Amino acid sequence: MSLARTPTLAALTCPAPRDDGLAIVYFDASLLVVNKPTGLLSVPGRGEDKQDCLAGRVQAEYPEALIVHRLDMATSGLLVLARGKTMERRLGTQFANRQVDKRYVAVVKGLPPLAGEIDLPLAADWPNRPRQKVDPLAGKPSRTRYQVLSHDPLTNTTRLALWPDTGRTHQLRVHLLAIGHPIIGDELYAQAGGAGQRLLLHAESLAFAHPETARPLAFCCPPPF
């Protein structure tokens, strides 16, 4: 089965990827949109060995750049940085108010229903940090919509488009695991796909209002898998 793609719009320690220069998708006086590689932290972690990150690499060239949102270290794709505090505040408000359209692409084990919604509350799994878990009592409301794009019967894997309506830590990874379809390469949660394979999760598109002019902006960066 192969399905046409629908229009958009709508922690394991490992060496960071080599710094081959920034993959800047867009920039102007207010913001930058960068394609983050897999294996690179969005912001510095704890410890001297976790200081290399996307924010630091961008700030080496644009010292005023500030992270507005984050991607998991293992996730690749589009990330927005504001240029200065005022733009950070305006962009941050859009993310907080769920005014940013986000679409991810993932490859998962098995074949889910052609389209669906996962509505399961999530909370930190404190004894096993940084893992998260479904927690009906203490979890925060979390919702993910998905649609099947294609299925490979030889490997029994499926390519999905994902729209997270909330932005909880590891939300897509935990939600898909919870319905029995872990993301390929997820060594933290499911070890799906074999050791050493990257997590097949990519932030493919973003759309939001320009923080200075309010004009609509939309960006797309196809996954490298």
Side-chain angles (χ1 to χ4, degrees), residues 81-139:
L81 296 96
R83 301 187 71 175
K85 285 287 187 180
T86 299
M87 296 302 109
E88 178 194 31
R89 184 174 60 254
R90 292 177 183 176
L91 286 167
T93 297
Q94 290 191 56
F95 277 91
N97 292 340
R98 302 179 188 175
Q99 296 170 325
V100 179
D101 290 304
K102 299 175 285 186
R103 168 171 146 153
Y104 291 70
V105 172
V107 179
V108 304
K109 185 176 180 180
L111 177 59
L114 293 183
E117 182 177 291
I118 308 166
D119 193 351
L120 295 170
L122 301 178
D125 185 357
W126 289 106
N128 300 296
R129 292 294 305 271
R131 290 168 59 95
Q132 309 291 304
K133 65 179 180 179
V134 175
D135 189 334
L137 297 178

Side-chain angles (χ1 to χ4, degrees), residues 98 117-124 132-136 138-145 163-172 174-175 178:
R98 302 179 188 175
E117 182 177 291
I118 308 166
D119 193 351
L120 295 170
L122 301 178
Q132 309 291 304
K133 65 179 180 179
V134 175
D135 189 334
K140 295 180 180 179
S142 309
R143 186 172 63 180
T144 301
R145 293 173 292 118
W163 294 271
D165 291 336
T166 51
R168 309 302 179 200
T169 301
H170 297 176
Q171 176 176 316
L172 301 178
V174 179
H175 270 176

Side-chain angles (χ1 to χ4, degrees), residues 13 22 41 47 63 79 99 103 114 135 151 170 181 185 207 219 222:
T13 301
L22 300 174
L41 291 166
L79 199 66
Q99 296 170 325
R103 168 171 146 153
L114 293 183
D135 189 334
H151 178 65
H170 297 176
H181 300 285
F219 306 99

Side-chain angles (χ1 to χ4, degrees), residues 12-18 38-41 49 52 57 73:
L12 297 176
T13 301
C14 59
R18 187 177 65 185
T38 184
L40 183 65
L41 291 166
D49 60 331
D52 186 14
R57 293 184 183 186
M73 180 179 71

Side-chain angles (χ1 to χ4, degrees), residues 22-27 32-35 61-62:
L22 300 174
I24 295 177
V25 176
Y26 173 86
F27 77 97
L32 299 102
V33 179
V34 182
N35 181 20
E61 296 190 29
Y62 302 91

